[in-house]
Amino acid sequence: MATEIGQEEHAAALQALLPRGPVWQGPVLARVCLGLAAPFSRLRARALALLVDAFPPTALQLLPDWEETVGLPDECTGDTPNLQQRRARVAARLTARGGQSVPYFVDVAAALGFAIEVEEFSPAAAGRLVAGGAVYGEAWASAWRIRAPATTVTSFRAGQSQAGDPLRTWGYGALECSLRRIRPAHTVLIFAYGN
């Protein structure tokens, strides 16, 4: 990454570009160059920050633009997601390729910050039944059980959170809403926590 160049370095570079001679030297002209260097320093710092903001998982200034691009916030984002959650949701939307498979659902949940397992059910059939096992009817062929830990906590992290973010957040509202929105139309999702 490029090194930081401060206002003094920009002022020295401006002075080096001036013609030679006694008229172009002196403390007054040095102060003028120092004053002119301030915007260059700010612009360089913003240009370097743009490289960081161009990548959604590290974006700060451009995060609202990223959210608008992918249609966030929406009904699934919750009341006031913190910075980490906002970044994760943008990244999840950008990397989602679509699908109806169990691995796809697990990947979507992971991108949102949740570790889940998906259990599918099969209707009872001769030859597959086991003594003491569950007997499911035909309707269960369309059911998926989403298993998640009892609690998923997002903690405040230096460098990834910002002032005003809560120290800890938890809850599954965004997970349930997001998975229900992308589920195959014929399926029913059953959420089980801590099992």
Side-chain angles (χ1 to χ4, degrees), residues 13-29:
L14 282 173
Q15 283 181 302
L17 293 173
L18 294 175
R20 304 278 180 235
V23 171
W24 301 103
Q25 296 174 0
V28 173
L29 195 54

Side-chain angles (χ1 to χ4, degrees), residues 49-70 72 82-96 111 159-161:
L50 181 61
L51 295 174
V52 172
D53 270 357
F55 189 56
T58 57
L60 183 60
Q61 299 294 326
L62 293 179
L63 188 57
D65 295 322
W66 279 111
E67 289 174 323
E68 184 179 349
T69 299
V70 298
L72 291 173
N82 63 33
L83 181 62
Q84 291 176 65
Q85 292 167 330
R86 290 173 61 200
R87 287 174 173 168
R89 291 171 186 170
V90 168
R93 285 277 176 95
L94 287 173
T95 58
Q160 294 191 13
S161 300

Side-chain angles (χ1 to χ4, degrees), residues 73-126:
D74 64 4
E75 69 277 0
C76 294
T77 58
D79 296 337
T80 54
N82 63 33
L83 181 62
Q84 291 176 65
Q85 292 167 330
R86 290 173 61 200
R87 287 174 173 168
R89 291 171 186 170
V90 168
R93 285 277 176 95
L94 287 173
T95 58
R97 289 181 260 147
Q100 296 183 350
S101 67
V102 169
Y104 174 69
F105 271 65
V106 171
D107 290 345
V108 167
L112 291 171
F114 300 99
I116 67 166
E117 295 176 2
V118 177
E119 179 183 356
E120 296 179 279
F121 300 95
S122 300

Side-chain angles (χ1 to χ4, degrees), residues 41-57:
S41 295
R42 281 194 308 273
L43 287 173
R44 180 176 169 81
R46 286 303 309 137
L48 291 174
L50 181 61
L51 295 174
V52 172
D53 270 357
F55 189 56

